[in-house]
């Protein structure tokens, strides 16, 4: 192992082996090299069996092990434990769980089996406020309790929250049912491991003696139960090395506790702190912008990224007219920079706060025949709520579209159940007529009751009323808005979701459908429902690459992803879009937490993904449910000094003549390919 390849702080982190150590690893500062070198250094001094390195995903654990093996050889690494927290927990439970009253051959229930258990327990129950019980929400509350180390008998409910009151009843029954089946769930893995350590001192002492050197990657992402497990395992020798960056703590919404890394010095008195501040990824101007932004967070470990490289290009900010203009501006820069610097498509990344923002960029990239991949979400027009909304429009345009007619027949629920639908389909087959015709004569079909028949007639009346409205010129977006409102699609999305945040994301996607209709109507001199749907079909003609995140990133395609999904990645050119109040920072996060710190960290993560070029974009106006509304520039932009930002005018400039010629050639080539 050549320590000369490391800078001085990296070398210090590798050589410090005894006692608690916090390595504050700034973005792009080479933390993975430090972790693997430190493991290699330890392997020269102590048996491999005494070392454990913990991370959050199996992929990260595999990559870490591969790098250690490459460095020290397979033989020397034999016996080394590199795993996720949960894999280590399962390993311990397989040896020790009998002391908690389980058999060693216990099963780990997947979510489907957990839901089945809860569903059986709440079957037929009604909430005090009315309506059926959502088993997903009960299971979510049980999971949240376990991650705070709250067991079934200790769970206390807020008497004003009907779901918490019900959970207080279901949680003990759920846990007894699991144990009766000799099963545990995913959250039990760490909870039961901790209970073993707390109740059986000899078990804890055995594992403390075995794992004398503990390392943790991405410590800022640990939750309460993971923190507690680490404290117990390191309580005798205190040889705990954690690596992370509080400035990149962006998973509070799923239980991560930034306080774990912020309070490390208090929790482990005498701990040494080493800062890795030299950045090997980004230019000086990008790092200066990132430093200027993140310093506005109060609760953080002070550090300042720097580079031995040059200042590089200015950070660019562009205020566009609206969301569609923003998408066109991004595509324009992709064309220009590809030509200037011979970049590949995969060198560009478009980062946004929420997945609902992808729609305009997906459309524009497809218009321009630019390949792209979407990371961490479905293609916009593949999302269920989008398909459901478009199904109504497709049946309005073509009532003989039976696939989509069946999709919307009982969505939202209107009393036309599966049995009724089967009888309607059978009547269509026997009578050799369309399902739409059968609906008009459903009163004569045997087995369809009065209530279902009335629901069918109301459905037909609604559809025919809006079909007439869609034929009126200039009413496309207004009619769509009123249709969705009358159907109460937003309310239905909230009813379906076990998590209000998921529901909001789906509602945002529904709004984007309306925005797509509105943008289309504005662009076209004669806008019809049929031509809008034709445009959507043409956009779907070439499916973007599918596969795992790693497979997608290998494609020569522009990358679209949320800021949360971008952590750990880097690109030569980054577009950070939606730089407006309400988007970044997101208004819902501010409303719920009264804290903008995590939103600022998200913006910081986005900025530090860029290697050479960073373009920030926002819109002066943006559509909300089809109507343009004024937008206020993100406060984060004002926190970056004006001297670091070049304000690019919104008017798009013509490309150089030679680039225009190349683009024209590409355009005609694409047209010829389409005509083949």
């Amino acid at each position: 192992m050549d320590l000369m390849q490391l800078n001085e702080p990296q070398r210090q982190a590798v050589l410090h082996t005894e006692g608690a150590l916090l390595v504050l690893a700034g973005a792009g500062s080479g933390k993975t090299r430090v972790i693997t070198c430190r493991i290699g250094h330890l392997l020269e001094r102590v048996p491999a069996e005494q070392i454990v390195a913990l991370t959050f995903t199996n992929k990260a654990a595999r990559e870490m092990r591969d790098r250690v093996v490459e460095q020290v050889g397979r033989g020397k690494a034999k016996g080394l434990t590199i795993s996720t927290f949960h894999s280590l927990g399962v390993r311990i439970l397989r040896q020790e769980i009998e002391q908690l009253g389980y058999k060693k051959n216990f099963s780990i229930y997947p979510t489907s089996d957990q839901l089945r258990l809860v569903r059986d327990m709440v079957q037929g129950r009604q909430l005090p406020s009315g309506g059926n019980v959502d088993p997903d929400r009960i299971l979510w509350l049980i999971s949240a309790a376990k991650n705070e180390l709250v067991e079934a008998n200790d769970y206390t409910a807020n008497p004003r929250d009907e779901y918490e009151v019900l959970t207080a009843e279901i949680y003990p029954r759920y846990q007894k049912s699991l144990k009766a089946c000799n099963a545990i769930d995913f959250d039990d893995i760490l909870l039961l491991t901790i209970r073993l350590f707390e109740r059986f001192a000899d078990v804890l002492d055995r594992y403390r003696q075995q794992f004398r050197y503990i390392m943790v990657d991405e410590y800022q992402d640990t939750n309460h139960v993971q923190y507690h497990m680490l404290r117990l395992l390191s309580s005798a020798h205190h040889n705990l090395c954690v690596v992370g960056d509080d400035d990149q703590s962006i998973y509070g919404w799923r239980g991560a506790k930034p306080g774990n890394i912020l309070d490390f010095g208090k929790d482990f008195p005498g701990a040494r702190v080493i800062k890795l501040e030299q950045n090997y990824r980004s230019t000086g101007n990008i790092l200066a912008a990132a430093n200027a932004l993140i310093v506005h967070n109060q609760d953080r470990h002070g550090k300042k990224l720097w580079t031995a490289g040059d200042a590089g290009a200015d950070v660019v900010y562009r205020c566009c007219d609206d969301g569609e203009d923003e998408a066109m501006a991004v595509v324009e820069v992709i064309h220009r920079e590809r030509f200037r610097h011979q970049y590949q498509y995969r060198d560009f990344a478009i980062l946004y706060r929420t997945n609902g923002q992808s729609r305009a960029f997906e459309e524009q990239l497809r218009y321009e025949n630019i390949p792209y991949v979407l990371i961490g979400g479905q293609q916009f027009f593949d999302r269920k709520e989008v398909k459901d909304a478009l199904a109504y429009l497709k049946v309005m345009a073509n009532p003989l579209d039976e696939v989509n007619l069946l999709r919307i027949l009982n969505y939202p629920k209107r009393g036309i159940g599966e049995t009724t639908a089967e009888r309607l389909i059978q009547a269509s087959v026997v009578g050799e007529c369309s399902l739409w015709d059968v609906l008009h004569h459903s009163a004569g079909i045997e087995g369809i009751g009065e209530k279902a028949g009335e629901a069918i007639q109301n459905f037909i009346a609604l559809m025919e009323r809006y079909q007439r409205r869609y034929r009126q010129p200039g009413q496309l977006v207004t009619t769509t808005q009123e249709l969705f409102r009358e159907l109460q699609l937003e309310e239905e999305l909230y009813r379906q979701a076990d998590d209000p945040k998921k529901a909001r994301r789906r509602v945002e996607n529904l709004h984007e459908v309306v925005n797509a209709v509105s943008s289309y109507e504005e662009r076209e001199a004669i806008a019809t429902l049929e031509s809008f749907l034709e445009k959507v079909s043409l956009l779907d003609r070439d499916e973007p690459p599918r596969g795992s995140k790693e497979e997608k990133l290998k494609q020569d395609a522009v990358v679209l992803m949320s800021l949360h999904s971008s952590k750990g990645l880097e690109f030569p050119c980054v577009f950070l879009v939606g730089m407006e109040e309400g988007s970044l920072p997101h208004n819902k996060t501010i409303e719920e937490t009264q804290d903008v710190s995590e939103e600022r960290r998200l913006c910081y993560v986005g900025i530090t993904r860029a290697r050479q070029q960073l373009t920030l974009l926002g819109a002066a106006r943006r559509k909300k449910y089809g109507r343009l509304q004024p937008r206020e520039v993100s406060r984060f932009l004002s926190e970056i000094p004006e001297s670091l930002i070049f304000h690019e005018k919104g008017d798009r400039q013509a490309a150089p003549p030679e680039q225009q010629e190349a683009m024209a050639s590409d355009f005609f080539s694409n047209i010829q390919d389409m005509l083949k």
Side-chain angles (χ1 to χ4, degrees):
M1 182 179 61
D2 186 4
L3 294 180
M4 297 306 294
Q5 295 180 355
L6 306 176
N7 63 37
E8 184 55 31
Q10 290 175 333
R11 197 156 41 246
Q12 291 176 17
V14 168
L15 296 176
H16 181 98
T17 58
E18 305 300 317
L21 171 65
L22 169 59
V23 180
L24 289 170
S29 61
K31 75 178 178 70
T32 306
R33 174 186 287 186
V34 169
I35 292 170
T36 53
C37 284
R38 190 173 188 275
I39 293 172
H41 179 67
L42 281 169
L43 286 170
E44 294 174 358
R45 304 176 65 253
V46 300
E49 292 78 7
Q50 293 186 2
I51 303 170
V52 59
L54 299 172
T55 186
F56 284 86
T57 67
N58 290 317
K59 174 178 175 292
R62 284 194 303 272
E63 289 177 353
M64 191 182 296
R65 175 175 290 279
D66 289 344
R67 291 185 66 162
V68 171
V69 168
E70 183 182 351
Q71 182 178 302
V72 303
R74 193 169 300 277
K76 206 165 191 176
K78 187 177 181 182
L80 177 68
T81 298
I82 299 180
S83 75
T84 64
F85 282 89
H86 288 86
S87 294
L88 179 62
V90 169
R91 172 177 161 183
I92 293 170
L93 291 177
R94 289 292 179 201
Q95 296 299 316
E96 316 289 348
I97 200 169
E98 287 178 327
Q99 302 192 59
L100 293 175
Y102 294 80
K103 297 177 182 177
K104 285 186 178 181
N105 64 340
F106 63 86
S107 300
I108 302 173
Y109 269 18
T111 304
S112 58
D113 287 342
Q114 294 174 254
L115 273 173
R116 178 182 50 79
L117 270 184
V118 176
R119 195 177 289 117
D120 289 345
M121 292 175 186
V122 300
Q123 190 170 20
R125 296 282 294 268
Q126 295 281 312
L127 293 168
S129 61
N132 296 325
V133 176
D134 181 358
D136 283 290
R137 191 163 177 184
I138 299 287
L139 197 58
W140 184 86
L141 287 168
I142 292 172
S143 175
K146 289 184 177 183
N147 280 307
E148 290 295 327
L149 293 175
V150 177
E151 294 189 75
N153 294 330
D154 300 323
Y155 185 87
T156 55
N158 176 356
R160 292 186 295 274
D161 188 318
E162 57 188 359
Y163 267 100
E164 286 194 17
V165 171
L166 185 56
T167 301
E169 175 196 332
I170 298 298
Y171 187 2
R173 292 172 55 198
Y174 167 79
Q175 211 59 30
K176 285 179 183 176
S177 293
L178 280 177
K179 195 164 187 179
C181 298
N182 194 39
I184 65 175
D185 64 22
F186 188 74
D187 297 307
D188 283 330
I189 294 171
L190 298 188
L191 175 61
L192 293 180
T193 301
I194 287 170
R195 294 304 179 231
L196 266 172
F197 291 162
E198 291 176 333
R199 296 172 189 174
F200 303 97
D202 60 321
V203 174
L204 174 59
D205 189 59
R206 190 158 63 250
Y207 285 98
R208 285 189 306 195
Q209 291 301 316
Q210 178 177 345
F211 300 129
R212 298 187 60 82
Y213 296 89
I214 304 171
M215 293 187 65
V216 184
D217 190 17
E218 304 287 6
Y219 186 66
Q220 77 280 351
D221 295 336
T222 53
N223 61 19
H224 180 66
V225 70
Q226 290 159 340
Y227 160 81
H228 203 71
M229 181 177 173
L230 290 170
R231 290 216 61 174
L232 288 169
L233 279 173
S234 64
S235 56
H237 48 71
H238 306 296
N239 294 330
L240 174 63
C241 169
V242 301
V243 183
D245 182 7
D246 51 303
D247 290 335
Q248 296 186 73
S249 179
I250 59 174
Y251 297 120
W253 52 276
R254 68 183 189 196
K257 304 284 187 185
N260 290 351
I261 193 168
L262 292 173
D263 296 334
F264 188 81
K266 297 177 187 176
D267 296 332
F268 300 91
R272 185 175 179 186
V273 179
I274 296 175
K275 299 178 182 180
L276 306 183
E277 297 173 294
Q278 184 174 359
N279 178 281
Y280 295 93
R281 174 189 300 159
S282 306
T283 62
N285 283 335
I286 292 171
L287 296 179
N291 289 330
L293 172 72
I294 203 63
V295 76
H296 287 82
N297 273 2
Q298 299 299 311
D299 295 326
R300 61 183 292 265
H301 291 287
K303 57 185 172 299
K304 189 174 182 180
L305 298 179
W306 62 277
T307 178
D310 56 26
D314 289 330
V315 174
V316 172
Y317 169 67
R318 183 163 179 167
C319 182
C320 303
D321 182 46
D322 57 24
E324 312 302 319
D325 186 45
E326 181 184 43
M328 287 189 280
V330 166
V331 168
E332 173 200 87
V333 175
I334 291 173
H335 279 312
R336 185 181 71 215
E337 297 306 314
R338 264 190 94 231
F339 179 79
R340 285 181 179 172
H341 300 290
Q342 301 300 302
Y343 284 135
Q344 295 182 292
Y345 284 123
R346 64 167 169 252
D347 293 329
F348 299 92
I350 303 170
L351 309 182
Y352 35 75
R353 176 62 178 82
T354 62
N355 285 323
Q357 292 171 260
S358 74
R359 193 269 308 166
F361 300 100
E362 288 189 65
E363 283 192 13
Q364 195 60 37
L365 289 166
R366 291 200 186 191
Y367 280 143
E368 299 282 339
N369 278 319
I370 295 176
Y372 73 89
V373 290
L374 194 73
I375 306 293
Q378 287 178 298
Q379 308 295 328
F380 179 77
F381 291 107
D382 283 346
R383 296 167 191 169
K384 181 184 181 301
E385 58 275 15
V386 174
K387 284 187 169 184
D388 290 337
L390 288 175
Y392 270 97
L393 304 188
K394 289 176 180 179
V395 175
M396 292 289 175
N398 176 18
L400 301 181
D401 182 346
E402 295 193 355
V403 170
N404 283 298
L405 179 55
L406 286 169
R407 187 181 187 102
I408 64 174
L409 192 58
N410 199 39
Y411 177 82
K413 284 185 171 36
R414 53 174 59 90
I416 308 174
E418 290 183 10
T419 303
T420 300
E422 287 172 6
R423 286 176 177 144
L424 291 167
I425 294 168
Q426 184 65 26
S428 171
V429 172
V430 172
E432 296 184 346
C433 56
S434 72
L435 184 60
W436 182 249
D437 287 337
V438 169
L439 289 175
H440 283 78
H441 303 94
S442 60
I445 299 175
E446 185 179 351
I448 294 183
E450 183 180 342
K451 189 175 179 181
E454 184 180 348
I456 291 170
Q457 294 311 309
N458 289 338
F459 172 71
I460 291 171
L462 177 141
M463 296 297 288
E464 290 182 340
R465 176 157 44 90
Y466 277 95
Q467 281 174 331
R468 289 191 294 271
R469 291 198 54 187
Y470 272 114
R471 295 189 194 106
Q472 298 172 11
Q475 297 293 310
L476 201 55
V477 68
T478 303
T479 303
T480 303
Q481 289 169 330
E482 294 181 9
L483 171 64
F484 290 177
R485 196 174 295 122
E486 183 168 342
L487 291 168
Q488 297 188 325
L489 293 185
E490 285 191 33
E491 291 83 353
E492 180 67 14
L493 290 171
Y494 278 109
R495 278 194 295 269
Q496 288 179 346
D498 58 308
D499 178 1
K501 290 182 180 178
K502 288 181 184 175
R504 279 200 297 271
R505 288 196 292 270
R506 290 168 183 162
V507 168
E508 287 173 359
N509 290 334
L510 180 64
H511 289 178
E512 278 300 312
V513 174
V514 178
N515 292 343
V517 175
S518 175
S519 297
Y520 167 76
E521 190 171 32
E522 287 176 3
R523 283 198 302 262
E524 302 296 325
I526 302 175
T528 65
L529 180 60
E530 291 79 5
S531 57
F532 168 74
L533 293 170
E534 182 180 305
K535 184 206 78 163
V536 171
S537 298
L538 288 173
L539 287 175
D540 279 341
R541 70 185 184 278
D542 296 316
E543 282 299 312
R546 298 180 182 274
S548 68
K549 182 176 180 178
E550 293 72 31
E551 289 169 338
K552 288 180 178 180
L553 290 171
K554 290 177 182 176
Q555 303 282 338
D556 185 23
V558 175
V559 177
L560 279 75
M561 65 195 331
S562 70
L563 288 164
H564 284 102
S565 297
S566 73
K567 189 169 175 289
L569 301 175
E570 58 184 75
F571 303 89
C573 301
V574 166
F575 301 96
L576 185 46
V577 303
M579 290 289 293
E580 304 137 31
E581 290 293 305
S583 292
L584 187 62
H586 199 280
N587 53 12
K588 292 297 181 184
T589 301
I590 299 170
E591 289 169 10
E592 290 173 3
T593 66
Q594 305 299 311
D595 183 13
V596 77
S597 299
E598 185 156 319
E599 292 293 301
R600 189 177 282 110
R601 291 194 290 268
L602 260 180
C603 187
Y604 174 84
V605 165
I607 289 173
T608 53
R609 299 311 94 197
R611 294 210 300 260
Q612 279 97 40
Q613 292 181 250
L614 172 66
T615 305
L616 310 174
L617 297 101
R621 304 176 299 162
R622 200 174 286 276
K623 283 191 174 73
K624 186 173 183 181
Y625 212 57
R627 290 189 173 90
L628 279 171
Q629 296 183 356
R631 304 287 285 184
E632 185 181 341
V633 175
S634 170
R635 70 188 74 183
F636 298 150
L637 199 67
S638 66
E639 293 173 357
I640 302 173
E642 283 286 326
S643 59
L644 294 174
I645 298 178
F646 173 73
H647 289 259
E648 191 171 80
K649 292 182 179 179
D651 296 332
R652 284 183 289 279
Q653 300 171 355
E658 60 272 24
Q659 184 184 356
Q660 292 184 39
E661 184 179 339
M663 289 168 61
S665 175
D666 287 345
F667 174 77
F668 286 117
S669 176
N670 289 329
I671 292 294
Q672 289 173 348
D673 288 342
M674 291 170 61
L675 293 175
K676 286 180 181 178

